Amino acid sequence: MVPVKVVKGVYVVASAQTTHPYDANAYLVELKSGKTILVDSSSGLAVDRMIVNILQLGVSPRSIEYLINTHCHIDHAGGNYTLYKTLSKLRVVAHIPDSEAIMNGDETLTAARRYNFKFPASPVSIVLRRKEEVISIGDEEVRIIHTPGHTKGSITIILEIDSLRIAFAGDINGPLSKEWLSSEEELKKSILRILDANPDVLLLGHTIIR
């Protein structure tokens, strides 16, 4: 149970291998400005272990200001509620309509029913609505592109870190399901949008591609 370094400033702090078998990868990102963000919150079944991993990096969890959800599925966003209640500065970011599924605790769209779990409804501080948006964090800009297909509100986060272009793309590799309103046509277009961004490293919910 240790954090895994991907590149300088980017760490896997939760995963199926390190925290809980139902956890998708959650990434801690240290920006050049000194600000820290989380990409996804995993299932919520082992938030305590994720917090320990963050502490092992010498980062105070209370210093984390943004949690950006790649999409609403419970293995990626199930930890939102606990983190939001625990970390007073935290602002949660998600794209509509996945933001609505998170706020409403929708057990179908969040895939909670498939896991036979309850999804704890949680606030979303910043609801994204456009095809591409930029969030300013300190003196840095975080680029977010809407990449639907797996879910309607899936997004990809693009960051320049240590001279590398990193793309956090959630479950851009699927799977697809009618109950999540997945779309193969939208997914193909989204993959092209990510390729157009020309990332050096692709960080997915369940794997890493360099």
Side-chain angles (χ1 to χ4, degrees):
M1 189 181 70
V2 294
V4 177
K5 181 179 177 181
V6 181
V7 298
K8 181 181 178 182
V10 180
Y11 303 88
V12 181
V13 291
S15 69
Q17 293 73 38
T18 61
T19 46
H20 192 280
Y22 287 157
D23 280 350
N25 294 349
Y27 297 95
L28 181 98
V29 183
E30 296 177 312
L31 302 176
K32 289 180 293 184
S33 62
K35 300 284 187 179
T36 307
I37 66 173
L38 270 177
V39 176
D40 287 336
S41 64
S42 295
S43 69
L45 298 173
V47 172
D48 55 340
R49 296 177 188 174
M50 179 166 59
I51 293 295
V52 168
N53 284 341
I54 292 170
L55 289 169
Q56 286 183 4
L57 294 171
V59 174
S60 168
R62 295 188 182 278
S63 70
I64 300 171
E65 296 184 27
Y66 289 86
L67 164 60
I68 305 176
N69 287 130
T70 60
H71 62 293
C72 66
H73 283 171
I74 192 167
D75 54 331
H76 293 258
N80 281 29
Y81 179 82
T82 300
L83 290 173
Y84 184 85
K85 291 295 183 181
T86 304
L87 309 180
S88 57
K89 289 184 179 180
L90 194 66
R91 304 179 74 187
V92 178
V93 181
H95 202 288
I96 201 166
D98 283 30
S99 57
E100 294 176 343
I102 292 169
M103 289 188 283
N104 295 331
D106 188 306
E107 293 181 12
T108 299
L109 294 181
T110 63
R113 182 169 289 123
R114 179 169 291 196
Y115 286 87
N116 199 27
F117 291 156
K118 295 286 187 181
F119 187 96
S122 177
V124 174
S125 313
I126 300 174
V127 176
L128 306 175
R129 300 176 184 274
R130 294 190 287 271
K131 288 185 177 180
E132 184 166 334
E133 305 205 28
V134 173
I135 296 177
S136 296
I137 301 178
D139 57 359
E140 293 179 73
E141 293 187 340
V142 178
R143 180 185 173 198
I144 299 175
I145 56 177
H146 184 207
T147 48
H150 180 57
T151 68
K152 287 289 186 184
S154 290
I155 59 172
T156 296
I157 300 108
I158 308 290
L159 284 171
E160 302 285 341
I161 300 173
D162 198 29
S163 301
L164 294 172
R165 182 169 296 162
I166 314 292
F168 302 83
D171 285 352
I172 193 68
N173 55 331
L176 304 179
S177 171
K178 288 183 179 180
E179 65 181 315
W180 309 328
L181 307 180
S182 300
S183 167
E184 184 176 356
E185 183 178 349
E186 286 187 329
L187 186 66
K188 289 176 181 178
K189 293 177 182 178
S190 293
I191 291 171
L192 291 176
R193 295 196 75 200
I194 293 173
L195 291 176
D196 284 345
N198 195 27
D200 299 296
V201 182
L202 184 61
L203 302 185
L204 302 175
H206 304 277
T207 191
I208 294 169
I209 301 174
R210 299 175 186 268

